[in-house]
Amino acid sequence: MPRMTAQQIKGLPIDTRVSIVERTATAKTLIKEATESLEDQFAEHVARYGLPEPVRQFKFDDTPVDWRWDFAFEKYKLLVEINGGIYQNPPTGHRSVRGLVRDYAKLNAATARGWWSMTFETKAVESGEAVRTVQEFIFEFDKLAAAGVLSQPA
């Protein structure tokens, strides 16, 4: 395949872009841009659905590692992680063994602190499935809290 410029690659669907340049610095840049735009897209969906505004790049002060979650709905103790670029081959980032082990430790740390977490990939964000799932969680949480079954954190 002839060498393509970054601009030419950006015009391709994300899955195609990643497979063409998977081991280059260009691929890493494209994946970072795609993930950032996925996070922006999710944030826009949250606003459009009238959901509470989440904290972006949330982190706990007491973890031994500088873990950050893409979004935190603090009232609900709900963390949301957007994993773009998971369709790469060979697996890197969240799909590599090292990445999965890091993610497990991060999620376990959140659970140990009483937080819920949800993780979404590219297609779930783009289709709106991610925001609808969060909306359903918030609706059910509020319903249980109103019934006195679940207490909302202070």
Short mmCIF file of all heavy atoms in Angstrom, two decimals, residues 97-130:
data_model
loop_
_atom_site.label_atom_id
_atom_site.label_comp_id
_atom_site.label_asym_id
_atom_site.label_seq_id
_atom_site.Cartn_x
_atom_site.Cartn_y
_atom_site.Cartn_z
N VAL A 97 -2.38 -6.93 27.19
CA VAL A 97 -2.42 -7.59 28.51
C VAL A 97 -2.07 -6.58 29.60
O VAL A 97 -2.75 -6.48 30.62
CB VAL A 97 -1.47 -8.81 28.54
CG1 VAL A 97 -1.36 -9.36 29.95
CG2 VAL A 97 -1.95 -9.87 27.57
N ARG A 98 -1.03 -5.81 29.36
CA ARG A 98 -0.63 -4.80 30.35
C ARG A 98 -1.74 -3.76 30.57
O ARG A 98 -2.03 -3.36 31.69
CB ARG A 98 0.63 -4.09 29.86
CG ARG A 98 1.68 -3.99 30.92
CD ARG A 98 2.98 -3.52 30.34
NE ARG A 98 3.08 -2.09 30.57
CZ ARG A 98 3.98 -1.33 30.03
NH1 ARG A 98 4.87 -1.83 29.21
NH2 ARG A 98 4.03 -0.06 30.30
N GLY A 99 -2.37 -3.35 29.46
CA GLY A 99 -3.45 -2.38 29.56
C GLY A 99 -4.65 -2.92 30.31
O GLY A 99 -5.27 -2.23 31.12
N LEU A 100 -4.98 -4.18 30.06
CA LEU A 100 -6.11 -4.80 30.76
C LEU A 100 -5.82 -4.92 32.26
O LEU A 100 -6.69 -4.62 33.09
CB LEU A 100 -6.41 -6.18 30.18
CG LEU A 100 -7.06 -6.17 28.80
CD1 LEU A 100 -7.11 -7.59 28.23
CD2 LEU A 100 -8.45 -5.57 28.85
N VAL A 101 -4.61 -5.31 32.60
CA VAL A 101 -4.24 -5.42 34.03
C VAL A 101 -4.33 -4.05 34.70
O VAL A 101 -4.86 -3.93 35.81
CB VAL A 101 -2.82 -6.04 34.18
CG1 VAL A 101 -2.32 -5.92 35.60
CG2 VAL A 101 -2.83 -7.49 33.71
N ARG A 102 -3.86 -3.00 34.02
CA ARG A 102 -3.97 -1.63 34.56
C ARG A 102 -5.44 -1.25 34.75
O ARG A 102 -5.82 -0.69 35.77
CB ARG A 102 -3.32 -0.64 33.60
CG ARG A 102 -1.89 -0.37 33.81
CD ARG A 102 -1.41 0.86 33.04
NE ARG A 102 -1.96 0.96 31.70
CZ ARG A 102 -1.32 0.61 30.59
NH1 ARG A 102 -0.11 0.13 30.64
NH2 ARG A 102 -1.90 0.74 29.41
N ASP A 103 -6.27 -1.55 33.73
CA ASP A 103 -7.69 -1.22 33.82
C ASP A 103 -8.37 -1.96 34.96
O ASP A 103 -9.20 -1.39 35.67
CB ASP A 103 -8.40 -1.52 32.50
CG ASP A 103 -8.12 -0.49 31.42
OD1 ASP A 103 -7.50 0.54 31.72
OD2 ASP A 103 -8.54 -0.74 30.28
N TYR A 104 -8.02 -3.24 35.15
CA TYR A 104 -8.61 -4.01 36.25
C TYR A 104 -8.26 -3.38 37.59
O TYR A 104 -9.13 -3.23 38.46
CB TYR A 104 -8.14 -5.47 36.24
CG TYR A 104 -8.55 -6.27 35.02
CD1 TYR A 104 -7.85 -7.40 34.66
CD2 TYR A 104 -9.63 -5.90 34.23
CE1 TYR A 104 -8.21 -8.16 33.55
CE2 TYR A 104 -10.00 -6.64 33.12
CZ TYR A 104 -9.28 -7.77 32.78
OH TYR A 104 -9.64 -8.51 31.69
N ALA A 105 -7.01 -3.01 37.77
CA ALA A 105 -6.59 -2.39 39.03
C ALA A 105 -7.31 -1.07 39.26
O ALA A 105 -7.76 -0.77 40.37
CB ALA A 105 -5.07 -2.18 39.03
N LYS A 106 -7.45 -0.30 38.20
CA LYS A 106 -8.13 1.00 38.28
C LYS A 106 -9.60 0.81 38.65
O LYS A 106 -10.13 1.51 39.53
CB LYS A 106 -7.98 1.70 36.93
CG LYS A 106 -8.66 3.03 36.79
CD LYS A 106 -8.32 3.58 35.41
CE LYS A 106 -9.28 4.63 34.97
NZ LYS A 106 -8.96 5.18 33.66
N LEU A 107 -10.27 -0.13 38.00
CA LEU A 107 -11.67 -0.39 38.30
C LEU A 107 -11.85 -0.95 39.70
O LEU A 107 -12.81 -0.59 40.41
CB LEU A 107 -12.27 -1.34 37.26
CG LEU A 107 -12.38 -0.74 35.85
CD1 LEU A 107 -12.77 -1.82 34.85
CD2 LEU A 107 -13.35 0.41 35.81
N ASN A 108 -10.96 -1.82 40.12
CA ASN A 108 -11.04 -2.36 41.48
C ASN A 108 -10.85 -1.27 42.52
O ASN A 108 -11.52 -1.28 43.56
CB ASN A 108 -10.01 -3.48 41.67
CG ASN A 108 -10.36 -4.72 40.88
OD1 ASN A 108 -11.51 -4.92 40.49
ND2 ASN A 108 -9.37 -5.56 40.64
N ALA A 109 -9.95 -0.32 42.26
CA ALA A 109 -9.75 0.80 43.18
C ALA A 109 -11.02 1.63 43.30
O ALA A 109 -11.40 2.05 44.40
CB ALA A 109 -8.59 1.67 42.71
N ALA A 110 -11.70 1.85 42.19
CA ALA A 110 -12.96 2.62 42.22
C ALA A 110 -14.03 1.86 42.99
O ALA A 110 -14.75 2.44 43.82
CB ALA A 110 -13.43 2.90 40.79
N THR A 111 -14.14 0.57 42.74
CA THR A 111 -15.14 -0.26 43.42
C THR A 111 -14.88 -0.28 44.92
O THR A 111 -15.81 -0.18 45.73
CB THR A 111 -15.15 -1.69 42.85
OG1 THR A 111 -15.41 -1.61 41.45
CG2 THR A 111 -16.22 -2.55 43.50
N ALA A 112 -13.62 -0.39 45.30
CA ALA A 112 -13.26 -0.40 46.72
C ALA A 112 -13.64 0.91 47.41
O ALA A 112 -13.84 0.94 48.62
CB ALA A 112 -11.77 -0.66 46.88
N ARG A 113 -13.77 1.97 46.65
CA ARG A 113 -14.15 3.27 47.20
C ARG A 113 -15.66 3.52 47.06
O ARG A 113 -16.14 4.63 47.28
CB ARG A 113 -13.35 4.37 46.51
CG ARG A 113 -11.91 4.38 46.99
CD ARG A 113 -10.97 5.10 46.04
NE ARG A 113 -9.62 5.12 46.57
CZ ARG A 113 -8.80 4.07 46.56
NH1 ARG A 113 -9.19 2.92 46.04
NH2 ARG A 113 -7.58 4.16 47.07
N GLY A 114 -16.40 2.50 46.64
CA GLY A 114 -17.86 2.60 46.58
C GLY A 114 -18.40 3.23 45.32
O GLY A 114 -19.54 3.70 45.31
N TRP A 115 -17.64 3.23 44.24
CA TRP A 115 -18.07 3.82 42.99
C TRP A 115 -18.52 2.76 42.01
O TRP A 115 -18.01 1.65 42.00
CB TRP A 115 -16.94 4.64 42.36
CG TRP A 115 -16.70 5.94 43.06
CD1 TRP A 115 -16.14 6.11 44.29
CD2 TRP A 115 -17.00 7.23 42.57
NE1 TRP A 115 -16.08 7.45 44.60
CE2 TRP A 115 -16.60 8.16 43.56
CE3 TRP A 115 -17.56 7.70 41.39
CZ2 TRP A 115 -16.76 9.53 43.40
CZ3 TRP A 115 -17.71 9.07 41.24
CH2 TRP A 115 -17.31 9.97 42.23
N TRP A 116 -19.48 3.13 41.16
CA TRP A 116 -19.90 2.31 40.03
C TRP A 116 -19.05 2.73 38.83
O TRP A 116 -18.58 3.86 38.78
CB TRP A 116 -21.36 2.58 39.68
CG TRP A 116 -22.33 2.36 40.78
CD1 TRP A 116 -22.68 3.25 41.76
CD2 TRP A 116 -23.08 1.18 41.04
NE1 TRP A 116 -23.62 2.70 42.59
CE2 TRP A 116 -23.88 1.42 42.17
CE3 TRP A 116 -23.16 -0.05 40.41
CZ2 TRP A 116 -24.74 0.47 42.69
CZ3 TRP A 116 -24.03 -0.99 40.93
CH2 TRP A 116 -24.81 -0.73 42.06
N SER A 117 -18.89 1.85 37.86
CA SER A 117 -18.18 2.27 36.66
C SER A 117 -18.81 1.65 35.42
O SER A 117 -19.38 0.55 35.48
CB SER A 117 -16.70 1.90 36.74
OG SER A 117 -16.54 0.51 36.63
N MET A 118 -18.71 2.39 34.33
CA MET A 118 -19.18 1.92 33.03
C MET A 118 -18.08 2.23 32.01
O MET A 118 -17.45 3.28 32.09
CB MET A 118 -20.46 2.63 32.61
CG MET A 118 -21.65 2.30 33.48
SD MET A 118 -23.12 3.13 32.83
CE MET A 118 -24.34 2.45 33.94
N THR A 119 -17.87 1.31 31.09
CA THR A 119 -16.87 1.49 30.05
C THR A 119 -17.54 1.33 28.69
O THR A 119 -18.31 0.40 28.49
CB THR A 119 -15.73 0.45 30.20
OG1 THR A 119 -15.19 0.56 31.51
CG2 THR A 119 -14.65 0.67 29.17
N PHE A 120 -17.25 2.26 27.79
CA PHE A 120 -17.86 2.23 26.47
C PHE A 120 -16.79 2.34 25.39
O PHE A 120 -15.75 2.93 25.59
CB PHE A 120 -18.85 3.40 26.31
CG PHE A 120 -19.96 3.37 27.31
CD1 PHE A 120 -19.95 4.22 28.41
CD2 PHE A 120 -21.02 2.48 27.18
CE1 PHE A 120 -20.97 4.19 29.34
CE2 PHE A 120 -22.04 2.45 28.11
CZ PHE A 120 -22.02 3.30 29.19
N GLU A 121 -17.09 1.75 24.23
CA GLU A 121 -16.19 1.83 23.10
C GLU A 121 -16.78 2.76 22.05
O GLU A 121 -17.87 3.30 22.21
CB GLU A 121 -15.88 0.43 22.54
CG GLU A 121 -17.11 -0.46 22.32
CD GLU A 121 -17.89 -0.13 21.08
OE1 GLU A 121 -17.29 0.06 20.01
OE2 GLU A 121 -19.11 -0.06 21.17
N THR A 122 -16.02 2.95 20.98
CA THR A 122 -16.34 3.91 19.93
C THR A 122 -17.79 3.84 19.46
O THR A 122 -18.51 4.85 19.45
CB THR A 122 -15.42 3.67 18.72
OG1 THR A 122 -14.06 3.75 19.17
CG2 THR A 122 -15.65 4.67 17.62
N LYS A 123 -18.22 2.66 19.07
CA LYS A 123 -19.56 2.53 18.47
C LYS A 123 -20.67 2.85 19.47
O LYS A 123 -21.70 3.40 19.09
CB LYS A 123 -19.72 1.14 17.88
CG LYS A 123 -18.81 0.92 16.68
CD LYS A 123 -18.86 -0.48 16.16
CE LYS A 123 -17.85 -0.62 15.02
NZ LYS A 123 -17.64 -1.98 14.60
N ALA A 124 -20.47 2.53 20.74
CA ALA A 124 -21.47 2.83 21.76
C ALA A 124 -21.62 4.34 21.95
O ALA A 124 -22.73 4.84 22.15
CB ALA A 124 -21.12 2.16 23.08
N VAL A 125 -20.50 5.06 21.88
CA VAL A 125 -20.57 6.52 22.01
C VAL A 125 -21.22 7.12 20.77
O VAL A 125 -22.15 7.92 20.88
CB VAL A 125 -19.16 7.12 22.23
CG1 VAL A 125 -19.22 8.64 22.19
CG2 VAL A 125 -18.57 6.63 23.55
N GLU A 126 -20.74 6.73 19.60
CA GLU A 126 -21.25 7.32 18.36
C GLU A 126 -22.74 7.05 18.15
O GLU A 126 -23.46 7.92 17.66
CB GLU A 126 -20.45 6.79 17.17
CG GLU A 126 -19.03 7.29 17.16
CD GLU A 126 -18.17 6.70 16.06
OE1 GLU A 126 -18.56 5.66 15.48
OE2 GLU A 126 -17.11 7.27 15.78
N SER A 127 -23.22 5.88 18.55
CA SER A 127 -24.63 5.54 18.35
C SER A 127 -25.55 6.15 19.40
O SER A 127 -26.77 6.13 19.25
CB SER A 127 -24.80 4.01 18.38
OG SER A 127 -24.59 3.52 19.70
N GLY A 128 -24.98 6.66 20.49
CA GLY A 128 -25.79 7.19 21.58
C GLY A 128 -26.11 6.14 22.64
O GLY A 128 -26.73 6.45 23.66
N GLU A 129 -25.70 4.91 22.42
CA GLU A 129 -25.95 3.84 23.40
C GLU A 129 -25.31 4.18 24.75
O GLU A 129 -25.91 3.95 25.80
CB GLU A 129 -25.39 2.52 22.88
CG GLU A 129 -25.51 1.38 23.88
CD GLU A 129 -24.75 0.13 23.44
OE1 GLU A 129 -24.40 0.00 22.25
OE2 GLU A 129 -24.51 -0.71 24.31
N ALA A 130 -24.12 4.77 24.72
CA ALA A 130 -23.42 5.10 25.96
C ALA A 130 -24.23 6.07 26.82
O ALA A 130 -24.47 5.83 28.00
CB ALA A 130 -22.03 5.65 25.66
#
